[in-house]
Amino acid sequence: MFATANAAALKTTDKATLPKDLFSAIEDLKKDLNAVVLAHYYQEPDIQDIADYIGDSLGLSQQAASTKADVIVFAGVHFMAETAKILNPDKLVLLPDLEAGCSLADSCPPDTFGKFKSAHPDHLVISYINCTAEIKALSDIICTSSNAVKIVNQLPPEQKIIFAPDRNLGRYVMEQTGRDMVLWQGSCIVHETFSEKKMLRLKMEHPDAEIVAHPECEAGVLRHANYIGSTTALLKYVGGAECDRFIVATEPGIIHQMEKQTPKKHFIPAPPEANCACNECPYMRLNTLEKLYLAMKNKTPEITILPEIRAKALAPIQRMLEMSV
Ligand code: 13P
Ligand code: SF4
């Protein structure tokens, strides 16, 4: 629904100038601009297919940190493009739709979080990368869903920790590490929409299916999962597992890569609580191939960050990259 409404929202002048073959026009622009297109697995299939690199949040940050391109076109959401800009202040970083935000990042406003942090002065702040640059600037270490457990395990056992903003990932990390942490109570509207009851009904219809889930899901969903991991980890797992049917409890955009990787296996999206498409991330789906092309052609919308915020947000991201190798 969002993608269609949004494509319709393109200016008439923009629509008139769209080339017939968007794929080859984007390939030409990549060469002209010396641009790289980085895409998250939750992007629509066409965007995934035109991308130079598709990955999870950690892989995308690692690519952004090492790219030699002059222009980074980020097919993902705002906090991801912002991370790329923090790592590359002198490069042009484009996001096809600046409205592509994140409910989880929105659930942690910097003012309130600053007071929360002040109330726990002896705690180290670990923030999930799904947060704004301002929250990153208030953090000591950034993590993603693929390295959160690894990072927490590297800290001395007596170190007190605040984990923000995702309460579900935080709880999962506490279970995996046996550590107590103070959790900020944020969450993702997509991963909290899955219905445990409907998923179990689906499992009864397909008893041979394994359930794979992202750690942003609620405990009720995670407790039935055969495997829990980041999007990249889920993709690797379903590729290597003997099972050939999976119920996928994360944003269904990833199923495009799962099917490409193993066309003979079957992937069933986990159902949302309501009768809606709420398991699709409305922010990720704001980006379209048309908008990606126009962003490259017009070199806008561009990501900008205040230098003082950028300087403070860089150190915790670099710490994450060092602790992930
Ligand atoms: P990963 O890319 O780390 O798997 O996280 C998924 C997500 O929700 C991104 O917004
Ligand atoms: Fe944010 Fe959730 Fe969308 Fe990921 S899936 S970008 S956490 S709203």
Side-chain angles (χ1 to χ4, degrees), residues 42 77 79 101-104 130 188-191 216 281 283-284:
Y42 297 165
V77 288
F79 73 80
C102 168
S103 61
L104 184 48
N130 299 34
C188 156
I189 50 165
V190 176
H191 287 88
E216 282 179 29
C281 174
Y283 308 99
M284 286 277 182

Side-chain angles (χ1 to χ4, degrees), residues 211-289:
I211 296 174
V212 296
H214 194 279
E216 282 179 29
C217 295
E218 289 182 308
V221 167
L222 291 186
R223 72 166 154 255
H224 304 291
N226 298 84
Y227 184 78
I228 299 168
S230 76
T231 45
T232 295
L234 296 183
L235 187 61
K236 263 197 206 146
Y237 178 79
V238 301
E242 278 179 16
C243 176
D244 65 4
R245 193 181 296 273
F246 299 88
I247 297 168
V248 181
T250 191
E251 215 275 0
I254 189 150
I255 292 179
H256 179 58
Q257 289 305 317
M258 290 177 169
E259 287 173 341
K260 268 178 111 168
Q261 178 183 257
T262 42
K264 292 208 171 108
K265 295 193 179 186
H266 303 279
F267 303 99
I268 311 165
E273 190 67 56
N275 288 327
C276 59
C278 338
N279 57 342
E280 288 182 7
C281 174
Y283 308 99
M284 286 277 182
R285 303 300 172 120
L286 281 176
N287 293 327
T288 61
L289 202 60

Side-chain angles (χ1 to χ4, degrees), residues 47-273:
I47 293 184
Q48 294 190 33
D49 292 344
I50 196 82
D52 298 296
Y53 175 84
I54 319 164
D56 67 359
S57 304
L58 178 63
L60 289 164
S61 332
Q62 287 166 331
Q63 288 293 316
S66 63
T67 184
K68 299 271 184 296
D70 296 317
V71 177
I72 300 174
V73 186
F74 217 110
V77 288
H78 196 273
F79 73 80
M80 295 177 171
E82 211 172 40
T83 304
K85 184 67 183 180
I86 293 166
L87 287 163
N88 297 282
D90 300 328
K91 291 190 199 287
L92 175 66
V93 178
L94 300 169
L95 180 64
D97 191 322
L98 268 193
E99 298 293 311
C102 168
S103 61
L104 184 48
D106 289 346
S107 68
C108 193
D111 286 357
T112 332
F113 185 70
K115 287 183 196 133
F116 182 75
K117 181 183 163 177
S118 305
H120 302 88
D122 50 351
H123 286 56
L124 192 89
V125 178
I126 303 184
S127 294
Y128 187 30
I129 199 162
N130 299 34
C131 64
T132 59
E134 287 81 1
I135 296 296
K136 288 185 176 77
L138 290 167
S139 306
D140 296 297
I141 311 174
I142 298 303
C143 71
T144 74
S145 56
S146 57
N147 60 19
V149 169
K150 185 174 177 170
I151 285 177
V152 170
N153 276 334
Q154 289 175 59
L155 300 172
E158 64 282 4
Q159 176 64 61
K160 294 181 181 166
I161 301 170
I162 288 177
F163 190 92
D166 189 22
R167 62 179 173 212
N168 292 314
L169 177 62
R171 187 203 55 250
Y172 173 74
V173 172
M174 279 168 55
E175 284 164 13
Q176 294 298 305
T177 60
R179 304 272 297 238
D180 196 19
M181 302 193 293
V182 176
L183 302 184
W184 178 264
Q185 294 298 311
S187 63
C188 156
I189 50 165
V190 176
H191 287 88
E192 286 208 333
T193 201
F194 297 115
S195 157
E196 181 184 4
K197 233 200 237 164
K198 285 190 187 174
M199 204 176 70
L200 290 180
R201 219 177 291 145
L202 202 56
K203 173 80 182 164
M204 276 161 74
E205 285 167 32
H206 304 282
D208 58 320
E210 284 193 6
I211 296 174
V212 296
H214 194 279
E216 282 179 29
C217 295
E218 289 182 308
V221 167
L222 291 186
R223 72 166 154 255
H224 304 291
N226 298 84
Y227 184 78
I228 299 168
S230 76
T231 45
T232 295
L234 296 183
L235 187 61
K236 263 197 206 146
Y237 178 79
V238 301
E242 278 179 16
C243 176
D244 65 4
R245 193 181 296 273
F246 299 88
I247 297 168
V248 181
T250 191
E251 215 275 0
I254 189 150
I255 292 179
H256 179 58
Q257 289 305 317
M258 290 177 169
E259 287 173 341
K260 268 178 111 168
Q261 178 183 257
T262 42
K264 292 208 171 108
K265 295 193 179 186
H266 303 279
F267 303 99
I268 311 165
E273 190 67 56

